[in-house]
Each structure stands twice: as structure tokens, then as C-alpha cells.
């Protein structure tokens, strides 16, 4: 099974600043998909951004962008201009091109300081 | 928008009880999943189903069973609840197309006393 590692259990950022959450994964596959999910306190987990491994261009969604380094098996999430509403648990996830399962990291709890 | 609905946000049961957690999705997704979420452990897959009446064990299936009699509904069953099954349970669904993400329910916080 693929493994996904988030090495930062907790992070904090000043409001309006930029923060980067790290994620690494282990796989022998060449085609796969990577996702970042956000889980606000006591609220539903939602998709933030996704990346197709065959695409070299990093995905961007408004203030959220990724730094995808396929050779290094690294998939970090950058949040620019952090807002109070960004405070949440963030999970990195991997999905094989051929499989139905998703593999999740253990999460990073992000605190935004006013 | 995809809607994944879990029957209860909070549930309190007693040791030894048979517990049913229900999940319904409204977007005709083939795949449905049950996860357990514990602090520091992330999401751990209990079971998933890729079609009606089909199921596959995840990482921690012991003490759990599932049922998928209809495409939109996926039930998690704790056969004889124990205190170590106190946790947050998340249901999710997805299309079988690989680039499609999972969509999650609100979660059920289950306490076993």
C-alpha cells in the first residue's frame, strides 16, 4: 500500500502571511493523483486542490497552490495571504490511477494568528 | 453539489450493543468508504465498496462489518461495540474515475460507554 507522510502535526501562520504544508508519499506507480483536503473544526472535509502526476505544471486554486516534485515524491501546499477561515486540519491524499482507494496522511493542524 | 449524509452527528451507545451508522449519497457514485478518524492517526480506512453488494476490507476492519444493498447507501455496523471504538467516523463517496476526489459527510462522533 502507498504511504503518505505529513511530518508537521501543527503549524501556525500570521494572518496575511504565507505558509507551506509539506507532504511526501511513497509509490512505485508512475500515474496517480494527489489531493489536499481541508477539515475546519467540527465541519465537513472539503477538497482544496488536486494534482495529476502526469502534469508538470503545479495546480493553483486562488490563494492555494502546490509544489509538486515528482522525482522527490513531494507534494506541498502553499497558502498565500492566510485568512482566519484557513484555520483547519489539512490532509494530503494519494489515489492510484488504477485503484479506488485513497491513502491519507495523518494531517497538519493549521492555526492562523490574527 | 454532491451531498453525503450521515444519519447522526453524535451517538452514544453502550458496550456490547450492535451499532449501525448510515450513510447516503445523492450523486450516483460507485465507490463508498468508511473511515475512522483519531487524533494523530489521520484517516484510517475501515471498509470500502465499489458496487452494490461488493465490499473490500480496509486497514482496520476488525470489529466492523458493512452493508451496501443499494447504490446510494452504505452502512457501517459495529457488531458488539467496545470502548476502543469510540471515535469519529467519516463516510465518503467518489466516482470510479481516478481524478475524481472523494466527497465526505459531516462525520459521526461515536462514544461507547
Amino acid at each position: 500500500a502507498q504511504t503518505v507522510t505529513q511530518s508537521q502535526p501543527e503549524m501556525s501562520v500570521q494572518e496575511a502571511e504565507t505558509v507551506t504544508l509539506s507532504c511526501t508519499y511513497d509509490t512505485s506507480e508512475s500515474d496517480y493523483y494527489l489531493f489536499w483536503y481541508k477539515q475546519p473544526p467540527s465541519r465537513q472535509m472539503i477538497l482544496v486542490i488536486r494534482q495529476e502526476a502526469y502534469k508538470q505544471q503545479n495546480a493553483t486554486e486562488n490563494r492555494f497552490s502546490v509544489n509538486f516534485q515528482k522525482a522527490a515524491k513531494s507534494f506541498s501546499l502553499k497558502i498565500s495571504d492566510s485568512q482566519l477561515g484557513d484555520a483547519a486540519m489539512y490532509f494530503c491524499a494519494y489515489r492510484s490511477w488504477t485503484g479506488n482507494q485513497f491513502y491519507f496522511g495523518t494531517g497538519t493542524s493549521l492555526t492562523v494568528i490574527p | 453539489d454532491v451531498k453525503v449524509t450521515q444519519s447522526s452527528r453524535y451517538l452514544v451507545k453502550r458496550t456490547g450493543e450492535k451499532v449501525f451508522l448510515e450513510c447516503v449519497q445523492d450523486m450516483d457514485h460507485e465507490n463508498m468508504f468508511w473511515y475512522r478518524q483519531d487524533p494523530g492517526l489521520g484517516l484510517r480506512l475501515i471498509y470500502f465498496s465499489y458496487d452494490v453488494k461488493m465490499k473490500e476490507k480496509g486497514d482496520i476492519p476488525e470489529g466492523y462489518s458493512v452493508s451496501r444493498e443499494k447504490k446510494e447507501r452504505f452502512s457501517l455496523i459495529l457488531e458488539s461495540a467496545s470502548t476502543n471504538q469510540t471515535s469519529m467516523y467519516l463516510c465518503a463517496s467518489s466516482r470510479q474515475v481516478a481524478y475524481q476526489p472523494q466527497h465526505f459527510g459531516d462525520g459521526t462522533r461515536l462514544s461507547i460507554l
Side-chain angles (χ1 to χ4, degrees):
Chain A
Q2 281 71 19
T3 57
V4 178
T5 301
Q6 293 179 250
S7 58
Q8 307 152 315
E10 297 178 345
M11 293 279 286
S12 62
V13 61
Q14 291 285 145
E15 196 174 3
E17 296 295 309
T18 295
V19 64
T20 298
L21 310 183
S22 66
C23 173
T24 58
Y25 56 94
D26 184 24
T27 185
S28 58
E29 299 174 327
S30 58
D31 292 321
Y32 48 87
Y33 296 85
L34 298 165
F35 305 86
W36 277 99
Y37 285 89
K38 170 185 178 181
Q39 187 182 40
S42 301
R43 291 178 61 188
Q44 192 177 58
M45 182 136 27
I46 58 173
L47 177 70
V48 175
I49 199 167
R50 66 181 160 193
Q51 174 79 41
E52 295 88 344
Y54 64 84
K55 287 188 178 179
Q56 292 188 346
Q57 187 173 6
N58 290 324
T60 300
E61 289 286 345
N62 301 314
R63 297 182 296 107
F64 297 87
S65 62
V66 299
N67 183 6
F68 173 50
Q69 304 285 331
K70 191 172 183 179
K73 298 179 183 175
S74 171
F75 181 59
S76 60
L77 175 69
K78 186 171 85 170
I79 306 173
S80 304
D81 185 26
S82 296
Q83 300 175 0
L84 294 178
D86 295 333
M89 184 72 81
Y90 287 82
F91 291 96
C92 176
Y94 171 105
R95 181 178 185 179
S96 168
W97 183 71
T98 56
N100 289 310
Q101 271 192 269
F102 289 71
Y103 298 90
F104 286 84
T106 51
T108 296
S109 178
L110 178 67
T111 300
V112 180
I113 303 166
Chain B
D1 278 353
V2 176
K3 185 72 173 176
V4 179
T5 303
Q6 294 185 230
S7 52
S8 306
R9 283 300 298 273
Y10 301 94
L11 205 54
V12 180
K13 296 292 183 180
R14 298 216 171 266
T15 304
E17 281 192 71
K18 191 168 186 176
V19 181
F20 294 85
L21 302 184
E22 307 286 345
C23 177
V24 177
Q25 50 94 4
D26 66 357
M27 282 301 291
D28 202 36
H29 284 174
E30 299 89 356
N31 298 334
M32 296 189 75
F33 306 80
W34 275 107
Y35 293 93
R36 174 175 170 162
Q37 183 179 8
D38 298 289
L41 298 179
L43 275 68
R44 292 181 291 168
L45 181 64
I46 304 171
Y47 270 98
F48 75 97
S49 169
Y50 52 90
D51 201 350
V52 175
K53 297 190 185 295
M54 306 303 290
K55 60 184 179 184
E56 286 199 21
K57 293 180 179 180
D59 300 317
I60 52 165
E62 297 77 18
Y64 304 93
S65 63
V66 291
S67 172
R68 193 162 181 205
E69 297 295 318
K70 293 184 178 182
K71 191 174 185 180
E72 68 271 18
R73 185 180 297 270
F74 192 36
S75 303
L76 178 69
I77 304 152
L78 285 66
E79 297 291 345
S80 177
S82 63
T83 55
N84 63 13
Q85 292 178 310
T86 292
S87 187
M88 170 70 85
Y89 290 87
L90 295 178
C91 175
S93 71
S94 76
R95 295 289 309 278
Q96 285 189 347
V97 181
Y99 66 85
Q100 291 293 331
Q102 284 185 323
H103 298 266
F104 286 85
D106 288 338
T108 296
R109 187 164 294 282
L110 176 64
S111 296
I112 307 296
L113 305 180

